[in-house]
């Protein structure tokens, strides 16, 4: 379950931001997770709740925004949606696709006091 280390990384980002911007409480965390990022959303929610106990983000609401997987098909010369890494192009069936989006995870926004 690598989501625990990812949740710890999110908390570190929050704590670093709190030091830089002098806020004392986090009310909501918007986390953007790509469909191809290899992150299990429900596991991430569970781990986030466990990691933020007794921290500045305790009781913070976690909003997860899931982004679709995108790839560039060399054969079609188009951006296509893919469901998983190493999928074939849904239009032509070629495996000459390069992932261009949906493989990242980032803290998009924080609502703080």
């Amino acid at each position: 379950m690598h989501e625990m280390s990812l949740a710890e990384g999110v908390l570190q980002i929050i704590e670093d931001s709190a030091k830089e911007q002098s806020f004392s409480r986090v009310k909501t965390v918007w986390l953007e997770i790509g469909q191809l990022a290899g992150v299990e959303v429900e596991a991430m929610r569970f781990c986030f709740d466990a990691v933020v106990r007794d921290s500045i983000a305790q009781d913070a609401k976690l909003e997860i925004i899931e982004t679709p997987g995108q790839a560039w098909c060399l054969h079609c010369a188009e951006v296509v949606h893919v469901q998983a890494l190493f999928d074939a192009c849904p239009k032509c069936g070629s495996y000459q696709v390069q992932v261009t989006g949906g493989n990242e995870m980032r803290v998009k926004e924080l609502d703080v006091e």
Side-chain angles (χ1 to χ4, degrees), residues 20-80:
E20 291 174 11
Q21 300 172 26
S22 302
F23 57 83
S24 59
R25 183 175 168 252
V26 178
K27 296 191 301 186
T28 307
V29 177
W30 280 271
L31 191 60
E32 195 172 78
I33 299 175
Q35 184 179 15
L36 308 176
V39 177
E40 185 67 39
V41 170
E42 288 310 311
M44 188 64 195
R45 288 186 188 283
F46 175 82
C47 293
F48 179 81
D49 288 344
V51 166
V52 299
R53 282 188 202 130
D54 300 326
S55 76
I56 191 171
Q58 182 170 338
D59 300 325
K61 184 176 173 184
L62 178 62
E63 296 284 346
I64 293 180
I65 303 161
E66 295 182 73
T67 58
Q70 289 186 336
W72 174 256
C73 176
L74 297 174
H75 192 278
C76 297
E78 291 182 34
V79 173
V80 294

Side-chain angles (χ1 to χ4, degrees), residues 2-3 7 21 24 41 50 53-54 77 86 88 90 106 110-111:
H2 74 286
E3 283 81 1
Q21 300 172 26
S24 59
V41 170
R53 282 188 202 130
D54 300 326
F86 312 113
R106 69 183 179 120
L110 299 173
D111 182 17

